[in-house]
């Protein structure tokens, strides 16, 4: 029965789309994922290893992998790339000092062959904090305009309130529908 259901879902295009959530430690990845799931902010502890959750947006199913962002874990991000349709890069918009590192990680990631067909959603998180960089400023620092090989979108958000996250999900849905 399970097999039949899986086959039917494949035929009708109702399959899961793989999404990975990356970003430096403390960017807000776990908080965003739980906002997607519960629409409520939760208390988090640093992501150790990876968590995977299913999110459904109006009949479109995403399988979302939250990958740890500490330095030792970043080296293994590539092992999650295979079959990824969307990369969500979470940026701490208050962490000006590490944006150059984020930029390097982003461009390194996009040069990986397993991600050549993936779309990239950059979440400029922590917009509630006074003095945080705007989405436009982050876009400029990450040199997003230079990315011509991948579809990308930058979205300002606040994981604590959920502001900006519904629009992110809409963009994700539009990307997988376009493919
Ligand atoms: P990570 O999974 O990327 O490592 P977390 O990041 O989701 O664990 O979040 C790291 C810290 O940032 C948490 O604070 C979390 O509450 C906070 N945070 C996440 N998103 C936002 C946001 O939009 N605004 C603000 N102000 N804080 C946010 P603690 O204190 O638990 O370490």
């Amino acid at each position: 029965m399970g097999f039949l259901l899986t086959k039917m879902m494949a035929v009708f295009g109702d399959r899961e789309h793989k999404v990975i959530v990356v970003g430096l430690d403390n960017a807000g990845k776990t908080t965003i994922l739980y906002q997607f799931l519960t629409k409520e902010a939760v208390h988090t502890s640093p992501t150790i290893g990876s968590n995977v959750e299913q999110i459904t947006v109006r009949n479109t199913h995403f399988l979302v992998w939250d990958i740890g962002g500490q330095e030792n874990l970043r080296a293994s991000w590539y092992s999650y790339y295979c079959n990824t349709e969307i990369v969500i890069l979470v940026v701490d918009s208050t962490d000006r000092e590490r944006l150059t590192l984020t930029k390097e990680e982003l461009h390194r990631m996009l040069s990986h062959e397993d991600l050549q067909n993936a779309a990239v959603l950059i979440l400029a998180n922590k917009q509630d904090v006074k003095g945080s960089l705007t989405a436009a400023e982050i876009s400029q620092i990450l040199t997003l305009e230079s990315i011509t090989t991948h579809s990308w979108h930058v979205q300002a958000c606040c994981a604590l309130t959920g502001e900006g996250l519904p629009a992110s999900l809409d963009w994700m849905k539009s990307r997988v529908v376009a493919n």
Side-chain angles (χ1 to χ4, degrees), residues 103-138:
K103 174 186 161 188
E104 286 165 7
E105 294 288 1
L106 170 64
H107 290 271
R108 192 192 345 266
M109 234 176 9
L110 295 187
S111 65
H112 197 287
E113 61 174 1
D114 286 350
L115 288 181
Q116 63 183 1
N117 296 319
V120 190
L121 172 65
I122 295 101
L123 291 182
N125 191 33
K126 306 196 184 181
Q127 290 294 316
D128 57 306
V129 180
K130 197 162 177 257
S132 60
L133 292 161
T134 64
E137 287 169 325
I138 286 172

Side-chain angles (χ1 to χ4, degrees), residues 23-32 42-47 66-67 69-70 90 92 125-129 157-161:
L24 302 185
D25 50 291
N26 206 48
K29 299 179 291 300
T30 308
T31 314
I32 284 174
V42 293
H43 294 290
T44 61
S45 52
T47 312
D66 172 14
I67 304 175
Q70 289 96 333
V90 182
D92 179 342
N125 191 33
K126 306 196 184 181
Q127 290 294 316
D128 57 306
V129 180
C157 72
C158 169
L160 294 186
T161 62

Side-chain angles (χ1 to χ4, degrees), residues 15-78:
R15 63 186 177 86
E16 283 175 335
H17 302 278
K18 183 176 172 186
V19 177
I20 58 172
V21 184
V22 300
L24 302 185
D25 50 291
N26 206 48
K29 299 179 291 300
T30 308
T31 314
I32 284 174
L33 184 55
Y34 278 90
Q35 268 285 356
F36 281 157
L37 289 171
T38 65
K39 308 238 182 314
E40 285 172 20
V42 293
H43 294 290
T44 61
S45 52
T47 312
I48 307 294
S50 59
N51 301 320
V52 60
E53 303 286 353
Q54 193 198 53
I55 295 170
T56 300
V57 185
R58 296 188 302 281
N59 292 330
T60 300
H61 307 292
F62 296 102
L63 201 61
V64 184
W65 295 76
D66 172 14
I67 304 175
Q70 289 96 333
E71 194 172 358
N72 59 330
L73 297 173
R74 292 205 295 275
S76 65
W77 278 0
Y78 73 91

